[in-house]
Amino acid sequence: MKRLVVCLLSVPVVAFSAGATAETWKLAPGETKTYYDADFTRVDQSSGLIVTRIAEGKANGAYRNWPASKGPILVFALDCASDKWMDLGMDFDGTKGLPKGWRKEAKIEDISGAVGKAGKLACESKDTLPKVELP
């Protein structure tokens, strides 16, 4: 009976760890406390928008371990050609996906004003970012 309980309890742990995605929090160039997730930053194949996420604080590991005391992680879509950005919301625990209809969000002027140097870096490296079909 004890083996069965141990077996059943270990299944969700294996499933959870297999579903985890890589996260690499890097300090934005020229910033002192703004980090961006290099593994999350990507180009949407259908729209050409860059989706990225940033946070302020000190990167201390995987996304789910980002301390709540450091504030939320902010998710953005960037339209580099027009120097505009779209606010896709805040995430506190790593479970937030892209909102439905996110490509139709209002675009706001000045990427650097909102996303800082991480946004500028994302636009400059657009050609080297992974291109994926996002929901």
Side-chain angles (χ1 to χ4, degrees):
M1 182 65 171
K2 287 183 182 179
R3 285 185 188 170
L4 179 61
V5 171
V6 170
C7 251
L8 291 175
L9 290 176
S10 65
V11 171
V13 173
V14 172
F16 178 77
S17 64
T21 58
E23 298 168 351
T24 305
W25 289 97
K26 293 185 175 182
L27 189 61
E31 299 280 350
T32 58
K33 61 180 180 175
T34 302
Y35 290 81
Y36 68 98
D37 184 355
D39 290 329
F40 182 85
T41 303
R42 61 203 61 216
V43 178
D44 176 46
Q45 229 170 8
S46 64
S47 67
L49 297 171
I50 296 174
V51 177
T52 191
R53 59 186 176 192
I54 66 169
E56 288 189 4
K58 181 175 183 232
N60 68 343
Y63 186 86
R64 293 181 186 278
N65 294 330
W66 191 272
S69 63
K70 298 294 184 187
I73 294 171
L74 307 170
V75 183
F76 297 98
L78 310 176
D79 183 345
C80 298
S82 65
D83 191 32
K84 293 184 179 181
W85 58 278
M86 301 157 68
D87 181 3
L88 302 182
M90 295 184 284
D91 196 353
F92 291 92
D93 63 5
T95 60
K96 182 182 183 335
L98 294 173
K100 189 173 184 162
W102 65 270
R103 291 176 188 91
K104 296 177 184 171
E105 291 289 327
K107 292 183 180 178
I108 304 164
E109 298 286 334
D110 188 19
I111 289 172
S112 293
V115 190
K117 294 181 182 174
K120 182 180 178 188
L121 176 68
C123 286
E124 289 173 354
S125 61
K126 182 177 183 174
D127 295 336
T128 63
L129 294 174
K131 292 170 180 54
V132 297
E133 190 60 42
L134 296 171

